[in-house]
Amino acid sequence: MITVLLLLHLFVTIALIGTILIQRSEGGGLGIGGSQGMGSFMSGRGTATLLTRSTAVLGTAFMVLSLTLAVMNRGASTGTGHDILAQPPAPS
């Protein structure tokens, strides 16, 4: 199960990087001071392109997969030899 989630996480990460790199740089710091003004900032009124929507979907999937993998792997490294800080130093 974890292997499948890791592979899905890898594909989502690659797709997210590609989607972000394809987008045109608009500048202006999150649209503030652009032609749309503050009325459409962070609201549903602004027109969103396919790339913007896909970036949002891929970003959400990335966060959900990251949190899921973190919760599933919680406590997985409590075996012997994994935690170097829990072992006392060897005498020299």
Side-chain angles (χ1 to χ4, degrees):
M1 178 70 176
I2 292 178
T3 306
V4 172
L5 287 177
L6 278 173
L7 285 174
L8 183 63
H9 191 65
L10 177 68
F11 292 138
V12 167
T13 303
I14 292 171
L16 184 61
I17 290 171
T19 305
I20 290 173
L21 288 177
I22 290 173
Q23 291 182 7
R24 180 175 52 97
S25 175
E26 296 180 9
L30 295 174
I32 298 173
S35 62
Q36 295 178 347
M38 284 298 288
S40 64
F41 177 63
M42 297 293 282
S43 68
R45 296 182 191 176
T47 57
T49 63
L50 177 65
L51 286 174
T52 305
R53 290 180 191 254
S54 60
T55 302
V57 169
L58 288 170
T60 303
F62 179 82
M63 288 301 298
V64 168
L65 282 169
S66 296
L67 291 173
T68 303
L69 286 168
V71 168
M72 289 180 73
N73 285 326
R74 182 179 40 177
S77 65
T78 58
T80 60
H82 288 49
D83 191 6
I84 61 170
L85 297 176
Q87 299 174 356
S92 6

